[in-house]
Amino acid sequence: QLQASGGGLVQPGGSLRLSCAASGITFDYGSITWFRQAPGEEREAVSCIRTRSGVTYYAGSVKGRFTISRDNAKNTVYLQMNSLKPEDTAVYYCAAARSNLISSSWRISTNYDYWGQGTQVTVSS
């Protein structure tokens, strides 16, 4: 019900745009978040958007470089990633929560009801 796409190989300093398309669920739903997980690392919450209000949250490691947005008509959330660094290399997942998550709750993976499959992002020269 969530389909993530847009990953790939990019050089440091480059850009990618990830897409998370929802089907079978009402997109005016609650909150959509991008998580990422690098090999041997714990899953990290990257950015969240409330699909109705557009309120956004970002991890400190990506703030100023990544931008999350949504197109409710297309049931899609995007993650524009600029100035990519090798440490951004990970599998990126999108997840949907029924509730409007807030600054203290958007990072908690157990708050999410649906998860998409991952898309690999590799930043390397």
Side-chain angles (χ1 to χ4, degrees), residues 2-16:
L2 293 176
Q3 180 77 31
S5 62
L9 173 65
V10 64
Q11 292 187 341
S15 298
L16 282 175

Side-chain angles (χ1 to χ4, degrees), residues 14-16 18 34-36 44-48 56-69 78-85 87-90 92 121 123:
S15 298
L16 282 175
L18 305 183
W34 287 97
F35 288 81
R36 67 186 180 186
E44 175 190 19
V46 174
S47 183
C48 173
T56 58
Y57 302 101
Y58 294 93
S61 58
V62 307
K63 200 166 188 177
R65 300 188 298 122
F66 290 11
T67 302
I68 192 169
S69 61
Y78 304 99
L79 186 68
Q80 177 67 42
M81 305 187 296
N82 298 329
S83 302
L84 282 161
K85 304 175 181 180
E87 51 263 44
D88 295 318
T89 295
Y92 284 70
V121 172
V123 184

Side-chain angles (χ1 to χ4, degrees), residues 30-52:
S31 308
I32 306 286
T33 293
W34 287 97
F35 288 81
R36 67 186 180 186
Q37 189 165 21
E41 302 284 338
E42 291 190 357
R43 185 164 49 193
E44 175 190 19
V46 174
S47 183
C48 173
I49 188 166
R50 294 191 199 169
T51 54
R52 183 167 294 180

Side-chain angles (χ1 to χ4, degrees), residues 1-3 20-27 32 74-76 96 114:
Q1 290 173 319
L2 293 176
Q3 180 77 31
C20 175
S23 61
I25 59 175
T26 303
F27 198 69
I32 306 286
K74 294 183 178 179
N75 279 7
T76 302
Y114 296 99

